[in-house]
Amino acid sequence: MRLADQLYLIAHEERTGRSRVHPRAAGLGLAAGLVGELMLLGRVTMDGGELRVVSREPPGDALAHHVLDLLVAQWQHRDLRTWLAFLAQDAIAKVGERLLRAGAVEAVVRRRFMGPTQTTYLPVNADQRNAAVWAGVRLANLLVEQGGGLAPAEGVLAGLVLATGLTRHVLWDFPLHRPGLANLHTAVEFLPAELRELVEHTQTSVGAVLAAGRR
Amino acid sequence: MARPDTAGPDIVSRSLASNRLGVPSVVFFGVAGAAPLTVVLGAITTIYAVLGSTAVPLSYLVAAAILSLFTVGFVAMSRHIVNSGAFYSYISHGLGRVAGVGAAFVALPAYSMMQIGLFGLFGVVASGVAGAAGYHLSWFVCALAAWALVAVLNLLWVDLSGKVLAVLLVSEITIVLIYDAVMIANPAGGAVRVDMLAPTAMLSPQAAAMLVLAIAGFVGFEATVVLSEETKDPKRTVARATHWAVLIPGLLCGASAWAMAVNAGPENIVATAREHETDLVFALVSPHVPAILVQIGYVLFLTSVFAALLAFHAAVARYQFALGREGILPSAWGRTQPRTGAPLLGSLTQSVLALGVLIAYASSDADPLVYLFAWLTVVGGLGVLILMWAASAAVVAFFARHRRRENAWRSTVAPAIAFLLLSGVLAATVVGLGDMLQVAPDSPFRWLIPPAYAGVALLGFGWGLVTRLARPDVYASIGRGAGGGAGGARPVSPAPAGTPAPLLPPTEEEFPCATPSGTMPSGTMPSKTW
């Protein structure tokens, strides 16, 4: 399962589809997840807070391809913080749609009182819910058992969990998960430089958004 | 890059801008904290009554002029350090992190006292309104109701900053302008007099001290820089909005204070103010306007004080949140309610403090208007003035190290003049504080307040030094604000190879929800280490 997909399932309640963190924090985390996917695929690198496209070869996934196309077309923007803010605007819906295509969630349309309809993507049957919960449990297990030496793909997921404030939803069992917490920090510390930078920028953006206190 | 030719339409900028704030929204945000109707109806009348000086209108205009000068350098500096925008982060960038911690320690009680003082005003006004409607409620009951509502709304982090606030603010300003027009149209003695605006009135030491009261009416204008990352154009939107957030309350309050004096007559304004207290304006305009306009005024007065209470409470909570994230306060203060983003512990702390003070005042039976509203806002205002003064020094020091392509007016001349003027105001305030509090000559309150602030600041300096020795990683990130990153365009520069920067100190015991900014590599900080 892809980086942003896992983060989506961790960041949303499996029963209601509500975001576990401030919606803007979740959006920024998923935006960082989408950028992180391109980094893991070797299409994009980062240096000094700026993104650089190193390969325009289309990734196999439609959403990743879409993001890469945007990065190529809007090449005058390289600042990662700008891209995070931009992608965060619809990252939740975009990743939800991708999960829908993969069969991991269903689209549930609700009409709010006097408001527009709202589409939420959430797991509805037992298998989907199991898989959704597993995303978090799996990461917790990895952090407790494997310690800080995670693969980059898992490490950056752990970092984005930390950056968006989801730590205690993943490592919720205090005595059991206690070693996982220290390992989480180690895992981020030993990420490849560009991925660590991605995590740090995400954390900074999340902090700024929370401090401003806007929806 | 991949494409050498010019790009097509700039989707990114357009899409981001559509979702961001323009100048008016930021001005609303800044002026809301100052709540012009609260200042006009609550503060100006109280200043007339308590100080017995007729130089009030002038003091607002002078205060606005001084703060405008200060704003020039302040927003110029804000272009180079994008962060949560609190004064202490400017001070730690300009004067060093130890001074920054001291400033944070001054800021916490200052803002906290100003918020608690407003409960006194709200209680008195609400109990007056309820009395007129036939219900006899003590000020304490009304204040307590407001307290409960503020506490709950802030825990839910209800966002009043949107359209509700804009509507309230526009109606407040409208009604103030109507009242002003009515008062000026009906001058005492049949002639509009301007002699209370003569600059010589500002030369008395008492008038200089009055500036601190006027400056307290502008509190909140600095909050505009909090939103710099949310604006369409961080470089220009915030600068313009901050200037407006100083000018609008300044002109409005100055004009209103003058209109009151015109209508009552400069000779009688003090006596009239002492007689009617916060009802002064209503008493002055009621012979000339339909009763409904006065009733609307009372309702707007209440909502205005309430909005100010909410805004201040949020500001105090946000301050504690930023300090918690930076590791100056325990990290528990840096956590937010996950879903809403409300800074939980900061909000609770302020609520509990306010409740304690309210109960203490109720049980001691002290006059809430003088001892709760006037005293706490004056004492809190002094703290804010100290912060502004230190911030103006920080701007001077910041640009003295590096001009950063700002012109001489913005980087040197205006900040220096602002610093000198604020120093004068601060000195006059410290000297004249006893008279402003109206205490007996032998009362300890006559001299206690400034040393108390000095003590708190020293405590902060000490804590800063302890942090430097014991937790250098936390120390390195002081002044970054809640966001963590410092710089503008490039917030975080990469860590030097081989020295990975941990996001959190590994000894972190608890489960951080919103993690402290920790130890971002400090590449964008000025290279000098303090």
Side-chain angles (χ1 to χ4, degrees):
Chain A
M1 193 174 264
R2 294 169 213 278
L3 175 59
D5 291 352
Q6 294 188 59
L7 190 66
Y8 181 98
L9 294 175
I10 294 173
H12 291 83
E13 284 176 0
E14 66 276 0
R15 291 196 174 270
T16 61
R18 283 181 72 183
S19 172
R20 290 190 213 270
V21 290
H22 195 283
R24 289 188 69 187
L28 283 168
L30 291 178
L34 292 174
V35 174
E37 284 174 17
L38 290 177
M39 287 180 174
L40 291 169
L41 288 170
R43 301 298 194 278
V44 169
T45 60
M46 182 158 69
D47 185 24
E50 295 200 345
L51 290 173
R52 201 158 59 85
V53 177
V54 286
S55 159
R56 297 169 66 178
E57 188 193 331
D61 166 65
L63 180 54
H65 193 172
H66 170 73
V67 175
L68 183 62
D69 258 5
L70 273 172
L71 283 169
V72 171
Q74 300 284 304
W75 58 270
Q76 69 273 39
H77 291 285
R78 287 184 242 173
D79 187 27
L80 174 70
R81 295 276 298 269
T82 308
W83 277 105
L84 287 183
F86 173 73
L87 294 172
Q89 296 178 113
D90 60 352
I92 297 179
K94 284 274 163 35
V95 177
E97 283 164 14
R98 184 167 72 179
L99 283 164
L100 178 69
R101 292 197 292 274
V105 295
E106 309 278 333
V108 176
V109 181
R110 294 193 187 102
R111 179 179 289 281
R112 278 202 263 160
F113 182 64
M114 303 280 284
T117 56
Q118 213 179 15
T119 310
T120 324
Y121 299 95
L122 71 158
V124 287
N125 61 42
D127 284 347
Q128 289 174 341
R129 268 196 203 131
N130 237 344
V133 175
W134 177 242
V137 175
R138 182 180 147 272
L139 181 64
N141 287 347
L142 282 174
L143 281 168
V144 172
E145 284 160 17
Q146 294 203 6
L150 295 181
E154 322 295 350
V156 71
L157 175 63
L160 293 179
V161 160
L162 176 67
T164 43
L166 284 162
T167 315
R168 63 176 162 181
H169 292 291
V170 173
L171 301 170
W172 51 272
D173 188 341
F174 198 79
L176 189 68
H177 289 148
R178 201 177 168 77
L181 190 68
N183 293 338
L184 173 59
H185 299 302
T186 325
V188 174
E189 218 173 296
F190 289 104
L191 274 177
E194 56 175 16
L195 289 174
R196 197 182 65 233
E197 218 183 309
L198 175 71
V199 169
E200 286 167 358
H201 279 285
T202 310
Q203 192 177 25
T204 310
S205 292
V206 168
V209 161
L210 288 182
R214 276 179 78 224
R215 295 265 146 178
Chain B
M1 278 307 290
R3 261 168 48 163
D5 56 327
T6 44
D10 190 343
I11 308 169
V12 173
S13 299
R14 218 184 286 161
S15 159
L16 283 176
S18 69
N19 207 8
R20 289 191 169 178
L21 302 172
V23 175
S25 318
V26 182
V27 174
F28 279 135
F29 185 80
V31 179
L37 198 62
T38 305
V39 179
V40 169
L41 297 180
I44 295 179
T45 53
T46 310
I47 298 173
Y48 268 129
V50 172
L51 283 189
S53 166
T54 53
V56 180
L58 197 58
S59 71
Y60 275 93
L61 300 180
V62 173
I66 294 177
L67 292 184
S68 292
L69 269 179
F70 167 65
T71 304
V72 172
F74 181 62
V75 293
M77 185 165 163
S78 84
R79 281 193 273 269
H80 302 280
I81 50 162
V82 175
N83 61 16
S84 76
F87 274 143
Y88 83 92
S89 52
Y90 287 77
I91 294 167
S92 55
H93 279 282
L95 300 177
R97 296 182 178 92
V98 169
V101 180
F105 273 47
V106 170
L108 281 179
Y111 284 109
S112 174
M113 274 190 281
M114 294 199 84
Q115 199 250 353
I116 297 174
L118 281 173
F119 278 115
L121 180 65
F122 185 89
V124 171
V125 175
S127 110
V129 170
Y135 302 99
H136 289 284
L137 299 172
S138 74
W139 73 267
F140 181 62
V141 173
C142 300
L144 217 54
W147 173 85
L149 212 52
V150 168
V152 170
L153 285 180
N154 261 298
L155 279 183
L156 300 176
W157 209 230
V158 171
D159 197 7
L160 269 192
S161 61
K163 287 171 185 135
V164 182
L165 203 64
V167 170
L168 277 180
L169 203 61
V170 169
S171 18
E172 280 179 32
I173 292 177
T174 313
I175 201 127
V176 168
L177 290 177
I178 294 175
Y179 285 173
D180 286 355
V182 169
M183 286 190 284
I184 294 170
N186 298 284
V192 175
R193 289 168 56 179
V194 291
D195 49 346
M196 46 285 202
L197 293 176
T200 46
M202 286 315 294
L203 294 178
S204 75
Q206 191 199 23
M210 203 156 53
L211 282 173
V212 69
L213 297 176
I215 283 176
F218 293 87
V219 167
F221 79 90
E222 83 274 13
T224 49
V225 288
V226 173
L227 296 178
S228 56
E229 290 202 15
E230 304 278 318
T231 52
K232 292 198 169 114
D233 179 355
K235 299 223 180 301
R236 264 179 291 171
T237 311
V238 166
R240 283 184 198 158
T242 313
H243 278 289
W244 280 116
V246 172
L247 281 179
I248 292 174
L251 292 176
L252 204 62
C253 295
S256 305
W258 173 66
M260 289 178 215
V262 165
N263 184 269
E267 298 80 16
N268 309 326
I269 178 70
V270 171
T272 323
R274 285 191 178 140
E275 184 192 339
H276 294 290
E277 292 186 327
T278 52
D279 294 329
L280 172 68
V281 176
F282 299 123
L284 291 179
V285 297
S286 55
H288 312 289
V289 297
I292 182 77
L293 260 185
V294 174
Q295 281 154 7
I296 293 177
Y298 269 113
V299 172
L300 282 177
F301 188 16
L302 272 188
T303 55
S304 159
V305 182
F306 189 77
L309 275 171
L310 267 185
F312 265 96
H313 190 114
V316 174
R318 189 181 282 136
Y319 223 111
Q320 296 182 12
F321 166 69
L323 292 177
R325 254 179 100 95
E326 293 201 344
I328 299 174
L329 287 179
S331 65
W333 266 270
R335 279 190 226 141
T336 54
Q337 208 278 332
R339 268 209 201 102
T340 58
L344 279 186
L345 212 51
S347 191
L348 279 177
T349 311
Q350 177 63 8
S351 292
V352 169
L353 276 176
L355 185 63
V357 173
L358 285 179
I359 290 177
Y361 269 90
S363 56
S364 73
D365 222 16
D367 177 8
L369 205 56
V370 175
Y371 295 103
L372 184 53
F373 172 57
W375 271 40
L376 285 194
T377 42
V378 167
V379 175
L382 173 62
V384 176
L385 179 61
I386 294 173
L387 280 177
M388 284 181 187
W389 168 75
S392 71
V395 175
V396 173
F398 183 78
F399 286 116
R401 276 199 303 276
H402 201 303
R403 274 276 287 280
R404 287 162 204 268
R405 292 201 284 174
E406 296 286 348
N407 61 30
W409 163 250
R410 283 188 202 144
S411 65
T412 317
V413 181
I417 301 174
F419 172 68
L420 288 178
L421 289 172
L422 282 171
S423 305
V425 177
L426 183 61
T429 308
V430 169
V431 171
L433 191 68
D435 295 324
M436 268 187 278
L437 296 178
Q438 307 274 302
V439 289
D442 57 343
S443 163
F445 287 109
R446 205 159 252 286
W447 52 267
L448 194 67
I449 310 293
Y453 271 123
V456 171
L458 282 177
L459 216 63
F461 295 158
W463 185 239
L465 289 172
V466 167
T467 310
R468 176 154 72 183
L469 291 176
R471 300 181 295 164
D473 49 340
V474 173
Y475 182 78
S477 71
I478 287 175
R480 299 296 190 76
R490 220 149 293 116
V492 182
S493 54
T499 52
L503 275 162
L504 278 176
T507 50
E508 184 71 39
E509 285 282 307
E510 295 156 286
F511 282 13
C513 172
T515 49
S517 56
T519 53
M520 300 293 185
S522 56
T524 46
M525 293 290 291
S527 56
K528 186 183 169 194
T529 46
W530 292 289

